[in-house]
Amino acid sequence: MADKKKSGEILNVPAHVGIIMDGNGRWASKRGLPRKFGHREGAKTFRTITKACRDMGVKYVTYYAFSTENWSRPEDEVEAIMDLFEKYLDEVKDFIEENIRIRFIGDRSVLKPTLLEKMDDTEKTSENFTAMDCLLAINYGGRDEITRAVKNIAGKVKNGELSVDDINEQLVTDSLDTSFAPPVDLIIRSGGEERLSNFLIWQAAYAEYYFTDVLWPDFSKKELENALKAYSDRNRRFGGVKSSK
Ligand code: IPE
Ligand code: IPE
Ligand code: MG
């Protein structure tokens, strides 16, 4: 019976987890606090969960931190979130000691130069860390990412570097911001909504989904374990008939 799976055991750890950190605003509102306090609290959860992912054997974790649609929020909230990113990148040295590599995805062209400088610095300082890659999606939208990739490919066709026949799924995958990462195995969304909100729409085409009502600032290591257990029990068929059990 040695190889029989015990109930609740995680035999199958996802290589790439995408996390939609939702519910910060509601967490703050419930306490009568301005929404930005929820974002501040959510940033603490991000640190705990990143370390927990690493400890559980996840190799890539991608967080949805700010979407291309989030610019439509009130200016003071957008500003508070951007300030929080800058503040956090100053403190990110902690992660570097954890052997976690930090990378960013999304359109950087409209971000503040002071933030961009910190992003570049963080990526450079952590580039040789190997325990796990932590990707932060800032000004990220799946449609925007695919559009940028298409433009890039079209440019190469125009200048003769590629022919139309060279365009295939692998080339598109390799032209995305996540070119270095494997496909997403599991998407976790906190905060009760059951949607992708334009997150990793190409990469998560065959992902499993785990939704929880827990608001992101309250999301704990236990919640992460529950998500990974649920994933481990899923039967991924990828359009075929094989059983993974
Ligand atoms: C997610 O929390 C964080 C960002 C989108 C930056 P929200 O701010 O969306 O929180 P709710 O959904 O309003 O509670
Ligand atoms: C998704 O959350 C974006 C991030 C977590 C950064 P939203 O709160 O923006 O998503 P919707 O508006 O509920 O779809
Ligand atoms: Mg939300």
Side-chain angles (χ1 to χ4, degrees):
M1 294 298 267
D3 61 343
K4 191 127 200 296
K5 181 179 160 298
K6 282 196 232 106
S7 162
E9 201 181 346
I10 303 171
L11 288 181
N12 223 343
V13 176
H16 189 169
V17 178
I19 304 185
I20 304 174
M21 309 183 276
D22 199 20
N24 291 347
R26 279 165 284 165
W27 184 92
S29 302
K30 264 174 52 180
R31 287 163 178 75
L33 296 167
R35 292 174 58 86
K36 68 176 179 193
F37 285 87
H39 298 309
R40 201 159 77 184
E41 207 56 33
K44 291 184 197 158
T45 307
F46 156 77
R47 292 166 90 104
T48 312
I49 297 304
T50 302
K51 289 177 193 170
C53 283
R54 191 267 326 265
D55 293 344
M56 292 174 86
V58 171
K59 293 314 261 179
Y60 295 83
V61 59
T62 303
Y63 289 95
Y64 210 3
F66 192 86
S67 76
T68 47
E69 288 73 31
N70 287 148
W71 296 107
S72 66
R73 295 187 178 204
E75 211 177 297
D76 63 329
E77 182 174 347
V78 170
E79 214 167 285
I81 294 171
M82 292 296 155
D83 287 349
L84 203 59
F85 290 152
E86 287 209 34
K87 189 175 158 286
Y88 249 79
L89 291 186
D90 286 335
E91 294 172 20
V92 94
K93 286 156 202 89
D94 279 14
F95 271 152
I96 291 165
E97 282 154 30
E98 303 281 344
N99 200 21
I100 295 168
R101 181 172 184 175
I102 315 273
R103 317 174 80 141
F104 299 93
I105 60 168
D107 177 7
R108 301 185 191 203
S109 66
V110 296
L111 300 179
K112 273 208 298 206
T114 45
L115 174 59
L116 280 174
E117 205 178 304
K118 285 179 184 172
M119 287 162 66
D120 287 343
D121 246 31
T122 307
E123 283 188 326
K124 224 173 157 29
T125 320
S126 69
E127 72 188 353
N128 294 319
F129 293 99
T130 53
M132 184 179 73
D133 277 17
C134 170
L135 281 66
L136 278 159
I138 298 183
N139 190 25
Y140 176 88
R143 289 176 180 169
D144 175 71
E145 179 190 38
I146 293 169
T147 306
R148 285 186 286 108
V150 168
K151 274 190 183 163
N152 185 274
I153 292 169
K156 288 181 178 163
V157 171
K158 194 175 173 208
N159 71 23
E161 217 177 301
L162 287 175
S163 80
V164 169
D165 287 341
D166 292 327
I167 302 172
N168 54 32
E169 290 190 9
Q170 193 59 48
L171 180 73
V172 176
T173 301
D174 293 343
S175 305
L176 298 174
D177 298 348
T178 52
S179 58
F180 52 85
V184 175
D185 299 303
L186 170 67
I187 293 274
I188 298 172
R189 182 169 187 149
S190 62
E193 313 296 350
E194 301 191 352
R195 56 179 171 250
L196 212 41
S197 301
N198 202 14
F199 187 46
L200 301 174
I201 53 179
W202 176 281
Q203 300 87 335
Y206 256 107
E208 298 295 324
Y209 291 83
Y210 182 87
F211 300 108
T212 169
D213 288 339
V214 173
L215 304 174
W216 178 250
D218 293 329
F219 192 91
S220 63
K221 216 172 140 173
K222 184 80 202 133
E223 277 294 326
L224 177 71
E225 279 168 15
N226 289 345
L228 264 56
K229 273 179 201 155
Y231 171 84
S232 185
D233 287 342
R234 304 271 175 95
N235 186 351
R236 301 180 80 188
R237 286 186 290 278
F238 298 99
V241 289
K242 79 179 161 68
S243 166
S244 62
K245 299 262 162 68

